[in-house]
Amino acid sequence: PDHVLKARLIYRSQIEDIAIPLRMNVRPGKDGSRLTVYLEKDALPGIKPVYWDLEVTVSLIGCDVSTRLDLSDKKLHRLLRLLNIQLKLGDGNIVFPYVGGKKALAFCVRPITQYDNMRTRVKELAAKVISKVFRSQLDRRNILLIYEKFSATAQDNSYYFFKYCMDELTPEENENIFYVIDKKSEDYPKVAMYGKHVLPFMSFRHMLCMLAARFVISTDTKSHLYVWRSKPSFVYDTARRRNNQVFLQHGVTALKRVHNLFGKSGSSPMSFFVTTSQVEQDIVVGNFGYARTEAPILGFTRWDVLTDKSDPGNKSILLMPTWRAWLEDSDDETFVKSDYYKHYTSLLLSERLKDMLEKYDARIVLCLHPKFADHLDTFRDKLGDRITMSSSKEVPVNEQIMRCSALITDYSSVCWDTLYLRKPVIFYQFDYDRYMEAHGSYIDMRTDLPGDRAEEENELLSHIERCLANDCHLSEENEKKSDAYFAYRDQNNCRRTYDFIKGQLQ
């Protein structure tokens, strides 16, 4: 017993080194020592989202060895799925155990939700039992389950594919096609008209269809089809293990390396990975491990509705940067100290920008990524008469892209929708080296981007002025570069996608 030295929670982070010591009790057991570790709310100062690993240090042959606790026992897995094991931390967060990588005990810290209760556990168990009893009947229905980010939006490829299926297919063809969305979502009214084809998020029908679906079809991983950062669950764990996903994507795969997540051997492998061109298919086949038949060139379904709604007499530049992994879940105090905040506020307050907007009678619309929505107020006093703020909640992203004359972004996939409409894109990449270190890219962004590029503010302002002086027309060079990413510029992407999926059901 005296060989067990300590037990600690280790924060899973590449940039922070945090360890919290835990109270423990060691006593002799039949086959060695029995270790009891206590997680107590008052003894967990500084614990924060998201993932923590339990590490135990023992002394063996004069050496201190740290290890994680094995949870390969299937009985323990069932117990975690059956019971509502959690500790409320008092700040709106809970901590709960789960089976981490290599089947080791780990813990998750996240905000408590309305689904963290025994009622949800009972529904999950009932759905699991019903799905087993009626497996053959459910399989024959060939259920297609469609959803988007957090099962809370209807704005992206999934929504437009679902809408096509409801509006253009026959009742016999779309009978078993369903969309999952939270009834509290602001986008819920957009799909409510489709009645029984809409499954309220975390309802019993949602759980049952999740277990029975022949394919799940989405712009995001299966994590977004259930409670975010789910506890061990009969429903989620079963559905996650099934590789039956048609990945419609959120943006063209080029600017961010994501094969560790979406690759054939990644943490969220797909059955089929929809691509938009030969260039993108080559990237997916070459880096993700999919065969060409598993990466069909179909085009994005949301592009079927894209039209140019910009007003030549009212030039509007959409400023839409993406998020930063190293700033996710940060508070306002940390956020305003970041290079991200400093660079964009400097741009918004630039006298040179103000003068050119006046000169060309133009305006800028700032739209932050949803993951930075909590920081919107930090920018409000940086706006001017010709600079306004918008959000994807107020105006869907595709609508903002259709309305704008040009786009300023950094590494965001919204660039492709803008280029699809043959509008100019300016890439502002002031933190390029850090981004490449954190994410990487499948193309050389210093030379191959289908748009003008800047790492310094003055260079960016020069690109903006040239764009405005040229009436926001896409240059021939950038048009030629962008054309390589679009195999189709028609309104048949939804039809091609449906025909492809239908072929897999036969």
Side-chain angles (χ1 to χ4, degrees):
D2 56 344
H3 287 180
V4 181
L5 303 179
K6 58 186 176 182
R8 303 185 302 167
L9 283 180
I10 307 296
Y11 188 46
R12 199 180 301 169
S13 170
Q14 294 181 339
I15 59 176
E16 293 184 275
D17 185 13
I18 305 175
I20 299 178
L22 300 176
R23 184 169 68 90
M24 65 179 189
N25 180 37
V26 185
R27 59 184 185 275
K30 292 182 179 180
D31 300 316
S33 299
R34 182 179 179 86
L35 172 66
T36 303
V37 178
Y38 300 89
L39 260 70
E40 301 159 310
K41 180 173 63 176
D42 296 338
L44 298 175
I47 193 167
K48 60 181 185 178
V50 177
Y51 299 113
W52 296 76
D53 296 307
L54 179 62
E55 180 184 272
V56 175
T57 303
V58 298
S59 178
L60 296 173
I61 319 176
C63 297
D64 293 350
V65 178
S66 296
T67 185
R68 298 173 66 189
L69 299 186
D70 180 73
L71 271 186
S72 56
D73 189 339
K74 292 184 178 181
K75 291 182 180 179
L76 289 175
H77 290 204
R78 286 194 292 269
L79 189 65
L80 289 178
R81 294 178 184 128
L82 185 62
L83 301 180
N84 188 45
I85 302 174
Q86 64 186 33
L87 174 64
K88 295 182 179 180
L89 297 176
D91 58 356
N93 286 328
I94 57 172
V95 55
F96 60 86
Y98 73 99
V99 183
K102 298 182 180 179
K103 299 193 181 302
L105 177 63
F107 291 86
C108 177
V109 178
R110 64 158 170 80
I112 193 170
T113 74
Q114 67 187 88
Y115 308 110
D116 292 308
N117 51 47
M118 279 305 300
R119 180 184 177 188
T120 299
R121 294 313 220 189
V122 172
K123 285 167 59 178
E124 290 174 330
L125 181 58
K128 180 72 172 178
V129 171
I130 295 297
S131 70
K132 280 192 170 185
V133 172
F134 296 99
R135 169 58 59 193
S136 59
Q137 295 95 317
L138 291 170
D139 285 346
R140 286 197 295 271
R141 291 184 62 182
N142 283 332
I143 291 173
L144 301 181
L145 203 57
I146 306 172
Y147 63 99
E148 285 183 0
K149 189 174 291 294
F150 301 123
S151 293
T153 67
Q155 298 184 10
D156 208 335
N157 288 317
S158 295
Y159 165 67
Y160 287 102
F161 178 65
F162 174 71
K163 189 176 187 304
Y164 168 84
C165 292
M166 295 297 103
D167 295 345
E168 303 298 331
L169 301 182
T170 67
E172 291 75 20
E173 289 176 311
N174 66 28
E175 180 182 3
N176 294 304
I177 299 176
F178 303 96
Y179 196 89
V180 178
I181 190 169
D182 194 322
K183 294 185 74 172
K184 294 178 292 186
S185 165
E186 294 181 8
D187 288 338
Y188 181 78
K190 294 169 66 174
V191 297
M193 68 185 76
Y194 298 117
K196 67 177 184 179
H197 292 279
V198 179
L199 304 181
F201 179 65
M202 294 302 290
S203 64
F204 181 77
R205 289 180 66 217
H206 167 208
M207 294 179 183
L208 186 60
C209 286
M210 191 169 166
L211 291 169
R214 178 72 179 276
F215 283 112
V216 295
I217 303 165
S218 181
T219 54
D220 298 275
T221 68
K222 287 183 183 176
S223 299
H224 292 261
L225 185 53
Y226 216 59
V227 174
W228 186 240
R229 292 170 179 146
S230 172
K231 293 176 182 176
S233 159
F234 284 115
V235 174
Y236 177 68
D237 292 350
T238 300
R240 184 182 59 180
R241 287 194 298 268
R242 298 176 64 195
N243 188 11
N244 64 334
Q245 185 161 4
V246 178
F247 187 40
L248 300 184
Q249 291 208 75
H250 174 65
V252 175
T253 298
L255 307 185
K256 182 178 180 180
R257 297 181 72 85
V258 290
H259 54 272
N260 287 338
L261 176 61
F262 298 124
K264 195 82 168 180
S265 300
S267 56
S268 296
M270 305 296 170
S271 301
F272 299 101
F273 194 116
V274 171
T275 58
T276 63
S277 66
Q278 186 68 59
V279 171
E280 189 187 19
Q281 189 188 64
D282 289 345
I283 290 173
V284 172
V285 171
N287 295 275
F288 289 67
Y290 294 99
R292 293 198 179 275
T293 54
E294 296 170 323
I297 301 173
L298 306 174
F300 285 172
T301 55
R302 68 173 182 260
W303 290 348
D304 283 356
V305 301
L306 286 185
T307 57
D308 185 0
K309 297 182 180 180
S310 61
D311 180 359
N314 185 20
K315 297 184 184 70
S316 172
I317 297 178
L318 180 61
L319 174 56
M320 186 176 284
T322 190
W323 60 294
R324 299 297 189 271
W326 51 89
L327 291 176
E328 190 175 3
D329 297 320
S330 63
D331 56 24
D332 277 351
E333 183 179 357
T334 302
F335 184 77
V336 298
K337 293 178 181 177
S338 68
D339 285 343
Y340 178 98
Y341 180 78
K342 291 175 182 177
H343 277 82
Y344 284 113
T345 54
S346 175
L347 173 64
L348 295 174
L349 294 172
S350 166
E351 286 296 323
R352 184 181 171 189
L353 177 64
K354 178 181 177 182
D355 290 344
M356 75 173 68
L357 293 177
E358 290 284 348
K359 177 181 178 180
Y360 294 100
D361 191 22
R363 62 192 180 92
I364 283 186
V365 178
L366 170 64
C367 182
L368 294 184
H369 190 279
K371 287 193 176 185
F372 283 173
D374 291 343
H375 304 299
L376 285 173
D377 288 340
T378 65
F379 285 95
R380 294 198 185 280
D381 63 345
K382 308 297 189 294
L383 307 179
D385 293 338
R386 292 184 174 271
I387 302 175
T388 57
M389 185 178 290
S390 183
S391 74
S392 58
K393 286 187 176 181
E394 297 170 352
V395 183
V397 171
N398 70 337
E399 185 66 27
Q400 296 191 56
I401 290 170
M402 288 189 282
R403 293 178 186 179
C404 78
S405 307
L407 171 73
I408 300 171
T409 189
D410 41 19
Y411 318 98
S412 174
S413 60
V414 296
C415 69
W416 306 110
D417 298 58
T418 310
L419 291 165
Y420 183 88
L421 291 173
R422 292 188 169 91
K423 297 180 182 183
V425 176
I426 302 172
F427 296 89
Y428 185 30
Q429 300 181 337
F430 56 85
D431 54 357
Y432 177 75
D433 290 337
R434 187 170 187 182
Y435 177 88
M436 290 298 291
E437 182 181 356
H439 301 295
S441 173
Y442 296 109
I443 65 173
D444 186 341
M445 288 194 281
R446 284 198 166 104
T447 59
D448 297 338
L449 285 172
D452 295 324
R453 178 181 179 276
E455 291 189 26
E456 302 293 337
E457 183 177 303
N458 283 332
E459 186 181 11
L460 170 65
L461 290 168
S462 295
H463 288 319
I464 295 173
E465 188 156 21
R466 279 194 295 272
C467 179
L468 290 172
N470 195 35
D471 288 328
C472 297
H473 290 144
L474 183 62
S475 70
E476 290 184 12
E477 178 185 358
N478 288 326
E479 183 171 4
K480 183 177 179 181
K481 284 183 178 180
S482 68
D483 282 347
Y485 289 91
F486 307 111
Y488 306 101
R489 271 192 170 102
D490 56 20
Q491 279 73 50
N492 297 317
N493 297 325
C494 286
R495 182 77 234 182
R496 277 188 293 272
T497 301
Y498 174 73
D499 287 343
F500 177 82
I501 294 173
K502 183 178 178 181
Q504 307 310 311
L505 296 175
Q506 296 173 352

